[in-house]
Amino acid sequence: KYKERNLNMITKKDLCLFDSIFSNKWNFLIISSLLSEEKRFSSIKKEIKEISDRMLSQKLKELIKYGIIKKEIISTSDSVKILYKLTPKGEELNPVFKEIDQWIIKNF
């Protein structure tokens, strides 16, 4: 039987997972980049100029593993287009990121 968890009670496991995902500036910036729309690798790279191709590739794989983004491959007769976009779980971060943005504007 499912036991409801007190949402005000953050566990050590929760904090470790949160830290794994969001303590890395690249993950945060990649998610921010995808909040507005799906993008190709090159478009994400243009927005986050400081990240290397290798690191971007690694972080995209990591965010896919966490179920926050997904890779969509679109094949046509003459080309293949790869897009990265937020999953429904990732889209739930939109209001969280807006709140963080508002907090930064207010306090800094």
Side-chain angles (χ1 to χ4, degrees), residues 76-99:
T76 61
S77 59
D78 58 338
S79 68
V80 175
K81 185 176 181 179
I82 298 173
L83 294 172
Y84 294 91
K85 59 195 226 175
L86 295 175
T87 61
K89 183 197 299 191
E91 289 175 4
E92 288 180 22
L93 292 168
N94 207 338
V96 174
F97 274 62
K98 284 181 181 177
E99 286 295 320

Side-chain angles (χ1 to χ4, degrees), residues 65-77:
K65 182 183 86 174
Y66 288 125
I68 295 172
I69 67 171
K70 67 181 177 179
K71 181 179 183 178
E72 188 173 295
I73 301 169
I74 302 167
S75 294
T76 61
S77 59

Side-chain angles (χ1 to χ4, degrees), residues 22-30 50:
F22 295 106
S23 67
N24 182 290
K25 69 179 178 182
W26 301 127
N27 288 354
F28 201 86
L29 291 171
I30 292 165
E50 303 85 11

Side-chain angles (χ1 to χ4, degrees), residues 10-106:
I10 297 173
T11 67
K12 188 185 275 188
K13 182 180 175 186
D14 296 332
L15 287 174
C16 287
L17 179 59
F18 181 85
D19 185 56
S20 295
I21 298 169
F22 295 106
S23 67
N24 182 290
K25 69 179 178 182
W26 301 127
N27 288 354
F28 201 86
L29 291 171
I30 292 165
I31 294 167
S32 293
S33 173
L34 294 172
L35 285 173
S36 58
E37 63 182 343
E38 60 190 25
K39 292 187 173 115
R40 297 178 80 156
F41 185 96
S42 59
S43 296
I44 299 168
K45 179 78 173 91
K46 281 181 189 173
E47 284 187 23
I48 311 171
K49 293 174 180 50
E50 303 85 11
I51 194 169
S52 69
D53 288 356
R54 184 174 177 210
M55 181 62 71
L56 179 54
S57 179
Q58 179 184 336
K59 293 303 170 185
L60 288 168
K61 288 176 187 172
E62 189 177 300
L63 291 168
I64 289 168
K65 182 183 86 174
Y66 288 125
I68 295 172
I69 67 171
K70 67 181 177 179
K71 181 179 183 178
E72 188 173 295
I73 301 169
I74 302 167
S75 294
T76 61
S77 59
D78 58 338
S79 68
V80 175
K81 185 176 181 179
I82 298 173
L83 294 172
Y84 294 91
K85 59 195 226 175
L86 295 175
T87 61
K89 183 197 299 191
E91 289 175 4
E92 288 180 22
L93 292 168
N94 207 338
V96 174
F97 274 62
K98 284 181 181 177
E99 286 295 320
I100 291 169
D101 190 44
Q102 289 302 308
W103 181 84
I104 291 169
I105 290 167
K106 179 182 172 189

